[in-house]
């Protein structure tokens, strides 16, 4: 009877430990692996779309891409985001003046945490939209998710720190082992 009880405790502890270890990989968030145009690229002709590739499958409905022009406020993304595997992309309106274009993104990690960041490219010759600046309305309602550009410092927004849980779990497991050993010995 007692042996069975001890075994039950041991199984519970092991299950808890497995849960804890299983949760560890989830701490590795979605990461941007590459982009097209690549970060820091200098282009002499305006791209017609941008694509961002992450290390896990992306879903378009939870992904936002913004492309902000050299003036720091004009949006050039089409708004609609498509996804294929780990790659999300959006078409671009005709780019305007030469300069730095920032591609901001906000996606949701597999564990539900939002991840934001940005990359940038430089257009060295004015794009087709330079003569007539894109009309404010051309972005239309699809530009609704175009939140302010994410902070230049990429990486994610983090979340609650995990270490207190780990410490708590370790203490619990330790206490459980002591109890189990005591009972087992008796
Ligand atoms: Cu997370």
């Amino acid at each position: 009877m007692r042996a069975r009880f001890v075994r039950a405790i041991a199984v519970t502890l092991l299950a808890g430990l497995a849960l804890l270890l299983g949760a560890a990989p989830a701490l590795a968030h979605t990461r941007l692996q590459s982009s097209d145009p690549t970060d820091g690229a200098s282009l002499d002709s305006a791209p017609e779309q941008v694509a961002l590739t992450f290390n896990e499958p992306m879903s378009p409905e939870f992904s936002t891409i913004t492309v902000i022009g050299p003036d720091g406020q004009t949006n050039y993304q089409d708004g609609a985001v498509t996804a294929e595997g780990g790659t999300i992309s959006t078409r671009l309106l005709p780019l305007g003046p030469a300069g730095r274009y920032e591609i901001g993104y906000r996606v949701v990690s597999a564990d539900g945490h939002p991840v934001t960041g940005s990359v940038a490219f430089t257009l060295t010759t004015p794009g087709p939209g330079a003569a007539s600046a894109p009309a404010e309305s051309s972005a239309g309602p699809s530009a609704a998710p175009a939140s302010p550009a994410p902070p230049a410092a990429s990486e994610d927004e983090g979340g609650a720190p995990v270490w207190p849980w780990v410490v708590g779990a370790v203490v619990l497991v330790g206490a459980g082992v002591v109890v189990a050993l005591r009972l087992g010995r008796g």
Side-chain angles (χ1 to χ4, degrees):
M1 195 61 186
R2 184 159 281 166
R4 187 173 297 171
F5 181 61
V6 170
R7 200 176 306 148
I9 289 184
V11 165
T12 306
L13 290 177
L14 283 177
L17 198 59
L19 254 179
L20 191 64
L21 294 177
L27 301 180
H29 285 151
T30 294
R31 278 193 331 276
L32 180 68
Q33 290 191 315
S34 63
S35 65
D36 179 19
T38 54
D39 192 19
S42 276
L43 308 175
D44 54 13
S45 71
E48 291 180 347
Q49 69 159 25
V50 295
L52 302 166
T53 300
F54 295 85
N55 63 331
E56 62 185 30
M58 291 288 122
S59 82
E61 54 269 40
F62 300 123
S63 304
T64 305
I65 302 176
T66 56
V67 178
I68 312 284
D71 65 0
Q73 56 186 13
T74 306
N75 284 276
Y76 289 94
Q77 78 279 359
D78 173 64
V81 175
T82 57
E84 188 177 343
T87 301
I88 56 173
S89 58
T90 187
R91 299 198 62 76
L92 295 181
L93 306 172
L95 294 193
R100 185 176 186 274
Y101 286 75
E102 182 165 302
I103 306 170
Y105 61 86
R106 183 186 190 282
V107 299
V108 175
S109 215
D111 66 1
H113 289 150
V115 175
T116 62
S118 65
V119 297
F121 65 89
T122 299
L123 188 64
T124 56
T125 50
S132 57
E136 293 296 315
S137 60
S138 64
S142 57
S147 47
S154 46
E155 287 315 302
D156 66 79
E157 294 164 357
V162 167
W163 66 266
W165 294 96
V166 175
V167 170
V170 167
V171 168
L172 267 180
V173 168
V177 166
V178 168
V179 169
L181 287 178
R182 287 239 177 98
L183 288 173
R185 200 174 296 147

